[in-house]
Amino acid sequence: MNLKTKIISITNQKGGVGKTTTAINLATALAAIGKKILIIDFDPQGNASTGVGVLHTNRTTDIYTLLFDQSVAGECIQATKIENLDVIPASINLSAAEVELAQTDGKNFQLKKILDGHIFAKYDYIFIDCPPALGFLTVNSLAASDSVLIPLQCEFFALEGVSNLVNTIKLVQENLNPALVIEGVVLTMSDRRNSLSSLVENDVRECFGEAVFKTVIPRNVRISEAPSHGKPVILYDINCVGSQSYISLAAEFITRENKRANTQLAAAA
């Protein structure tokens, strides 16, 4: 794998927390500033695929095919209408992979073997949109990744639900991928009119500290509307508060990346 290519799992075992929305909009914002981005849709629902305009009818080969036949990697990567942004789509066929991976040698490293191929070295970032479960697909994603980005909804059960994910990350670090780190936590679906959102945000920041991004993604009707048009919200309505929040998140993400790179250079000097 090219050293400049960073693989990031975007995951939370709880559904409806803004995981896919964060994947496609962060990817789009980074693509807009010239970063080469690949989204791997690793969720059988295929929402990341449709969210960037890749319809089910246009999918010939997908991530399910690629999991069991590495020779089709080039065919699986599809360009989107967004410059610098490609996607490996998913379909409902991926549901069968949970069972099939359980019977495969090296079952936890199928995705890693694929991403070690030279064809993926051209990307700056690869985002893997994981399913809302902690099964073989998510474990494969974590085993293949450099880091984990956790979208966390500003609601009462947010911290309770994420504890299982953190435990899974620790198990993966101990047994499969010791280099895996938490990229950060993104607070989503915040409603400043609701005091509960602020209470949850405070709890999350107290628990995760500096890992929590300063940018908070609000509830926004334009974010909800955009997928039905096959577009990230940044393309659907760039001026809405949701788009501006994801643009801010991308800027903060890049600032963190630059800071890490400078720290590594200083350590190596």
Side-chain angles (χ1 to χ4, degrees), residues 24 53 69-70 74 78 84 96 104 117-118 128 130 141 174 184-185 191 198 203 215 247 256 258 260:
I24 63 177
D69 183 2
Q70 296 182 43
Q78 295 193 28
N84 297 320
T104 302
H118 294 299
I128 307 173
C130 297
S141 181
E174 291 169 4
V185 177
D191 186 347
S198 296
D203 285 347
T215 303
I247 291 168
R256 286 190 178 199
N258 291 339
R260 287 192 191 103

Side-chain angles (χ1 to χ4, degrees), residues 9-28:
S9 287
I10 301 182
T11 185
N12 189 322
Q13 84 279 7
K14 188 176 184 300
V17 299
K19 175 181 58 63
T20 299
T21 300
T22 297
I24 63 177
N25 284 290
L26 178 56
T28 299

Side-chain angles (χ1 to χ4, degrees), residues 183-196:
E183 182 74 29
V185 177
V186 180
L187 290 162
T188 63
M189 301 183 184
S190 175
D191 186 347
R192 294 299 186 185
R193 299 168 300 178
N194 185 341
S195 61
L196 179 60

Side-chain angles (χ1 to χ4, degrees), residues 210-225:
E210 292 292 315
V212 185
F213 282 87
K214 292 182 176 65
T215 303
V216 177
I217 309 301
R219 286 193 179 275
N220 178 241
V221 67
R222 305 302 268 177
I223 292 177
S224 302
E225 291 172 353

Side-chain angles (χ1 to χ4, degrees), residues 151-266:
L152 200 57
Q153 187 177 359
C154 291
E155 65 165 27
F156 182 71
F157 293 114
L159 275 175
E160 182 180 277
V162 84
S163 62
N164 290 331
L165 174 58
V166 172
N167 288 336
T168 299
I169 292 170
K170 288 179 180 176
L171 287 172
V172 170
Q173 289 170 327
E174 291 169 4
N175 299 288
L176 303 174
N177 184 2
L180 183 69
V181 298
I182 293 179
E183 182 74 29
V185 177
V186 180
L187 290 162
T188 63
M189 301 183 184
S190 175
D191 186 347
R192 294 299 186 185
R193 299 168 300 178
N194 185 341
S195 61
L196 179 60
S197 285
S198 296
L199 289 173
V200 171
E201 179 178 342
N202 290 338
D203 285 347
V204 173
R205 293 192 186 281
E206 186 176 330
C207 180
F208 288 97
E210 292 292 315
V212 185
F213 282 87
K214 292 182 176 65
T215 303
V216 177
I217 309 301
R219 286 193 179 275
N220 178 241
V221 67
R222 305 302 268 177
I223 292 177
S224 302
E225 291 172 353
S228 66
H229 297 269
K231 294 180 179 179
V233 69
I234 290 171
L235 296 186
Y236 179 62
D237 182 356
I238 194 170
N239 295 313
C240 74
V241 65
S243 292
Q244 292 304 308
S245 296
Y246 275 113
I247 291 168
S248 175
L249 178 64
E252 189 177 350
F253 176 89
I254 288 296
T255 298
R256 286 190 178 199
E257 289 291 282
N258 291 339
K259 185 176 180 180
R260 287 192 191 103
N262 290 336
T263 301
Q264 290 171 357
L265 285 172

